[in-house]
């Protein structure tokens, strides 16, 4: 995409904004009265389902929360009403995951030469998401300077087995990214990788924010998958205030110098753990052919999203308009790619005219990430396909396995668990069709969007036959899609082949195809709501995936696997799933 056209579109956008606001105002209603659904895959049915599934009452469906329970109960009730076979635990539709809410025990204390430092008063610690945090009991403190400052930074030998104290970067950049910064360089290249612990000094709002984040919160959960190799231990992550820093270093922070050794700390952060709700929803439509119904075509989406925003609510309408303007400028940048100077200038120039929106309605403050597109669109489209298969006159020869995965936003937990502990024989799954964000993709959502826009990832990776089949079915659609394969390229920076649930099937040699209409400005924002969804586009994606599934289910042979299957299903997926030599 050339720079000039971007400028033209931004100007057009600026000029258009009142009109856009009006057009936006012409958007769909904020509330929608549910209508009876039918066998046909229709925009109306999808609208009925999505306004329920992505309603504020679902609280953003975060794993571990009541919102997640309500959302999965809705799906289970729907598939039960359709008469599908339960394929979860113990004859239910639910497959529960070993997920736990882990929170810092407020009684935890650390001592330094007899001086007590109490949790939540002087320091807090986060449970981490990978392996168990290392012990800091009896380790010596060392000052590491400012977070992210690589000049004269500690060596690996200096940091190994120590509690490294870092000051936060001014202006918050790098704040809370201690771990990410710590992670930069991916493991061994990072000098702090073998520290026993890292304690970042915070003050003011940042300190308050860290304390808030450490308080018990339903969505603060960890996944303990016994079938996965134990995750390597990581450095204990603490946030401390200036008083604690002085006690640990033995001198005021202002007098600390890089590499300076401090006191020895006693004790460890302790965490409480209790089971938290996290469940996949699994249902089966038995196939019509006695010889083939023991084989399954899996169709999936993720039922979770990111919940309720921490911190103050935001002005929904102005954020939505700003996001659209921002994405029109930066939408085609690959992950990690920085905007050009000109784009930076354009971002500076964005001016949101709210007059027409304010005429329509007052400020609506919002703190719920409804996840209408991510992945409410995929979840209700899978439901709509379940209805079409259940009520359809012609039944597929092989069986259809519907899986609504939990914990995708946390790290593909639900699909990892289902494929490690499948409720049908794993090798009877002949293919998996995954949908994540299939409700947008139009011109105003991304620069390359349009009514027939669809991204495909992974369709030819493990099975050329499946990839070709997807393309041939598309040609038979009333309005064939124009496929965008750019995110399927080996090494592509967005790494999408590794970043959604299909990968957990592919790692076991199951051919997959990932369907998405792509990112947009409302991605992972409170503004990802049902009124911005393109239901016609979504219904056509649904019909297309239905047709592909029917075709695969009716083949007289299972699709042929001719691509490279990972040697170890537990190895980390990188480089967009391509061998690293690429
Ligand atoms: Zn998603």
């Amino acid at each position: 995409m050339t720079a000039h056209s971007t400028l033209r579109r931004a100007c057009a956008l600026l000029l258009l904004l009142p009109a856009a606001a009006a057009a936006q105002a012409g958007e769909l209603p904020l509330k929608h009265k549910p209508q009876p659904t039918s066998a046909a895959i229709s925009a109306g049915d999808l609208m009925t389902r999505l306004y329920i599934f992505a309603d504020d009452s679902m609280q953003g469906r975060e794993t571990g929360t009541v919102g997640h329970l309500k959302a999965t109960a809705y799906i289970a009730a729907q598939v039960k009403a359709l008469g599908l076979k339960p394929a979860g635990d113990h004859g239910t539709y639910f497959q529960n995951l070993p997920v736990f809410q882990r929170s810092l025990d407020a009684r935890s204390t650390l001592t330094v030469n007899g001086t007590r430092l109490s949790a939540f008063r002087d320091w807090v610690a986060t449970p981490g998401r990978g392996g168990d945090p290392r012990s800091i009991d009896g380790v010596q403190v060392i000052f590491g300077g400012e977070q992210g400052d690589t000049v004269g930074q500690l060596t690996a030998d200096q940091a190994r087995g120590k509690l490294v104290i870092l000051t936060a970067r001014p202006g918050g950049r790098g704040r809370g990214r201690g771990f990410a910064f710590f992670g930069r360089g991916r493991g061994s290249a990072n000098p702090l990788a073998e520290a026993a612990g890292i304690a970042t000094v915070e003050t003011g709002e940042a300190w308050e924010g860290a304390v808030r984040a450490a308080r018990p919160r339903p969505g603060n959960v960890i996944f303990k998958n016994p079938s996965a190799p134990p995750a390597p231990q990581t450095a204990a992550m603490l946030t401390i205030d200036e008083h604690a820093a002085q006690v640990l270093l033995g001198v005021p922070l202002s007098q600390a110098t890089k590499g300076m050794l401090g006191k020895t700390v006693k004790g460890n952060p302790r965490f409480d753990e209790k089971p938290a709700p996290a469940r996949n929803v699994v249902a089966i439509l038995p196939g019509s052919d006695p010889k083939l119904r023991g084989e399954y075509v899996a169709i999936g989406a993720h039922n979770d999203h990111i919940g309720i925003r921490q911190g103050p609510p935001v002005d929904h309408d102005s954020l939505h308009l700003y996001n659209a303007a921002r994405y029109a400028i930066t939408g085609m940048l690959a992950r990690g790619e920085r905007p050009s100077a000109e784009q930076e200038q354009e971002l500076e120039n964005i001016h949101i005219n709210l007059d027409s929106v304010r005429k329509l309605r007052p400020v609506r403050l919002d703190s719920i990430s409804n996840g209408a597109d991510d992945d409410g669109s995929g979840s209700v489209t899978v439901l709509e396909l379940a209805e079409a298969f259940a009520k359809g006159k012609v039944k597929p020869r092989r069986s259809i396995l519907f899986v609504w995965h939990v914990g995708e936003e946390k790290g593909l937990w639900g699909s990892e668990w289902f494929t490690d502990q499948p409720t049908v024989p794993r090798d009877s799954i002949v293919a998996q069709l995954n949908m994540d964000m299939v409700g947008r993709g139009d011109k105003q959502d991304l620069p390359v969007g349009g009514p027939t826009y669809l991204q495909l990832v992974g369709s030819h990776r493990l099975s050329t036959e499946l990839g070709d089949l997807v393309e041939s079915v598309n040609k038979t659609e009333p309005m064939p899609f124009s496929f965008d394969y750019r995110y399927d390229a080996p090494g592509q920076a967005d790494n999408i082949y590794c970043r959604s649930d299909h990968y957990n099937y592919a790692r076991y040699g199951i051919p997959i195809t990932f369907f998405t209409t792509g990112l947009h400005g409302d991605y992972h924002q409170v503004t990802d709501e049902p009124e911005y969804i393109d239901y016609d586009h979504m219904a056509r994606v649904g019909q297309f995936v239905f047709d592909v599934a029917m075709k695969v289910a009716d083949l007289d042979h299972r699709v042929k696997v001719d691509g490279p299957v990972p040697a170890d299903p537990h190895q980390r997926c990188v480089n967009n799933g391509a061998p690293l030599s690429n």
Side-chain angles (χ1 to χ4, degrees):
M1 170 87 42
T2 59
H4 285 305
S5 62
T6 324
L7 191 58
R8 207 172 33 250
R9 191 173 54 248
C11 300
L13 201 68
L14 273 172
L15 294 167
L16 259 180
L17 265 168
Q24 289 290 347
E27 78 210 1
L28 297 163
L30 301 187
K31 292 289 174 193
H32 173 72
K33 194 162 168 294
Q35 309 295 317
T37 60
S38 69
I41 296 169
S42 72
D45 284 8
L46 290 166
M47 208 168 151
T48 286
R49 294 182 187 288
L50 191 54
Y51 271 80
I52 293 168
F53 193 71
D55 185 72
D56 283 355
S57 60
M58 298 290 186
Q59 304 168 0
R61 307 189 304 275
E62 187 176 10
T63 303
T65 69
V66 171
H68 162 64
L69 282 176
K70 289 172 79 172
T72 46
Y74 166 73
I75 298 172
Q78 293 288 310
V79 291
K80 186 167 186 223
L82 292 171
L84 294 187
K85 215 174 106 194
D89 300 337
H90 319 301
T92 73
Y93 290 106
F94 300 123
Q95 184 191 34
N96 294 293
L97 273 67
V99 164
F100 302 85
Q101 182 187 337
R102 188 192 255 186
S103 53
L104 178 62
D105 181 338
R107 293 160 302 167
S108 297
T109 57
L110 303 175
T111 52
V112 179
N113 295 347
T115 305
R116 285 162 66 99
L117 297 171
S118 303
F120 291 103
R121 188 193 67 197
D122 307 307
W123 59 274
V124 289
T126 48
R129 287 177 61 184
D132 289 334
R134 291 192 186 109
S135 166
I136 58 170
D137 183 25
V139 307
Q140 187 169 24
V141 168
I142 185 167
F143 186 59
E146 187 184 286
Q147 208 173 34
D149 175 4
T150 51
V151 181
Q153 66 180 343
L154 298 182
T155 64
D157 292 340
Q158 284 179 297
R160 186 173 299 111
K162 298 261 186 351
L163 175 59
V164 178
I165 292 187
L166 297 175
T167 54
R169 284 188 110 170
R173 258 174 336 104
R175 187 164 279 144
R177 280 186 41 225
F179 193 79
F181 172 73
F182 170 70
R184 191 167 59 110
R186 299 243 168 261
S188 58
N190 187 307
L192 306 185
E194 290 160 57
I198 294 185
T200 305
V201 186
E202 294 283 13
T203 56
E205 177 33 46
W207 165 252
E208 302 306 328
V211 171
R212 247 197 330 269
R215 294 228 179 275
R217 196 180 66 79
N220 244 349
V221 288
I222 56 164
F223 172 40
K224 290 188 162 184
N225 179 2
S227 36
Q233 277 204 313
T234 52
M237 301 303 292
L238 290 84
T239 301
I240 58 177
D241 67 5
E242 288 185 328
H243 160 69
Q246 176 163 348
V247 171
L248 288 162
L249 287 165
V251 297
L253 194 56
S254 55
Q255 294 170 21
T257 54
K258 257 186 224 178
M260 190 190 85
L261 292 172
K263 305 293 181 189
T264 296
V265 61
K266 286 257 179 281
N268 263 317
R270 283 204 318 270
F271 295 97
D272 295 332
E273 266 183 29
K274 62 179 182 184
R279 57 195 185 181
N280 293 328
V281 183
V282 194
I284 289 173
L285 178 106
S288 60
D289 184 327
K291 286 206 207 73
L292 295 179
R293 69 164 61 109
E295 292 182 354
Y296 299 86
V297 177
I299 302 176
H302 68 90
N303 64 49
D304 66 308
H305 193 50
I306 58 176
I308 298 172
R309 201 188 119 84
Q310 303 303 303
V314 295
D315 170 352
H316 179 108
D317 291 306
S318 99
L319 178 63
H320 176 64
L321 289 171
Y322 173 78
N323 284 336
R326 169 181 56 81
Y327 206 76
I329 297 165
T330 61
M332 297 319 292
L333 293 174
R335 198 169 180 215
E337 194 183 348
R338 300 201 55 73
S340 67
E342 190 170 348
Q343 287 169 322
E344 291 280 12
Q345 190 53 53
E346 288 172 52
L347 290 168
E348 295 281 319
N349 295 344
I350 292 177
H351 168 71
I352 305 299
N353 172 343
L354 285 166
D355 299 353
S356 39
V357 172
R358 291 290 178 258
K359 281 200 200 89
L360 276 173
R361 57 174 165 260
V363 173
R364 51 183 175 129
L365 292 178
D366 195 347
S367 53
I368 295 180
S369 297
N370 301 68
D373 193 28
D374 188 9
D375 189 19
S377 63
S379 290
V380 301
T381 302
V382 176
L383 256 180
E384 189 66 353
L385 268 62
E387 182 173 28
F389 277 112
K391 294 179 179 172
K393 292 194 182 51
V394 183
K395 295 291 184 234
R397 296 172 66 196
R398 288 180 176 81
S399 299
I400 308 292
L401 173 68
F402 303 97
V403 188
W404 290 266
H405 306 101
V406 66
E408 191 271 356
E409 303 285 4
K410 302 282 186 192
L412 314 185
W413 292 355
S415 55
E416 180 183 326
W417 183 250
F418 181 78
T419 52
D420 280 342
Q421 320 272 342
T423 58
V424 300
R426 192 185 300 123
D427 58 9
S428 69
I429 303 173
V430 301
Q432 197 265 354
L433 308 176
N434 192 39
M435 287 183 270
D436 190 351
M437 301 178 64
V438 292
R440 306 268 297 249
D442 218 337
K443 199 90 198 118
Q444 78 261 9
D445 287 327
L446 72 169
V448 292
T452 62
Y453 183 78
L454 188 62
Q455 292 171 10
L456 288 189
V457 172
S459 54
H460 288 88
R461 291 291 181 96
L462 287 171
S463 170
T464 315
E465 182 183 8
L466 178 63
D468 294 348
L469 181 152
V470 169
E471 287 177 353
S472 64
V473 170
N474 182 45
K475 293 195 181 87
T476 66
E477 295 297 307
M479 202 171 152
F481 289 96
S482 39
F483 296 146
D484 183 349
Y485 280 111
R486 80 185 68 206
Y487 295 97
D488 194 29
Q492 203 282 336
D494 292 84
N495 205 28
I496 290 181
Y497 183 75
C498 306
R499 280 179 49 203
S500 194
D501 295 310
H502 50 268
Y503 178 71
N504 278 322
Y505 293 81
R507 70 187 171 128
Y508 279 111
I510 298 168
I512 64 99
T513 297
F514 177 52
F515 304 84
T516 180
T517 51
L519 298 182
H520 45 76
D522 295 319
Y523 173 67
H524 278 208
Q525 307 271 319
V526 296
T527 47
D528 180 1
E529 292 202 353
E531 65 267 27
Y532 306 125
I533 297 288
D534 183 336
Y535 292 93
D536 292 327
H537 195 148
M538 194 162 126
R540 282 184 281 109
V541 174
Q543 185 62 56
F544 174 44
V545 176
F546 176 93
D547 297 339
V548 169
M550 188 64 102
K551 190 93 179 172
V552 175
D554 285 354
L555 286 174
D556 55 17
H557 63 280
R558 52 191 296 163
V559 282
K560 194 162 171 297
V561 176
D562 57 2
V565 176
D568 168 10
H570 297 291
Q571 84 193 29
R572 208 153 63 85
C573 179
V574 293
N575 203 34
N576 210 25
L580 274 174
S581 55
N582 263 356

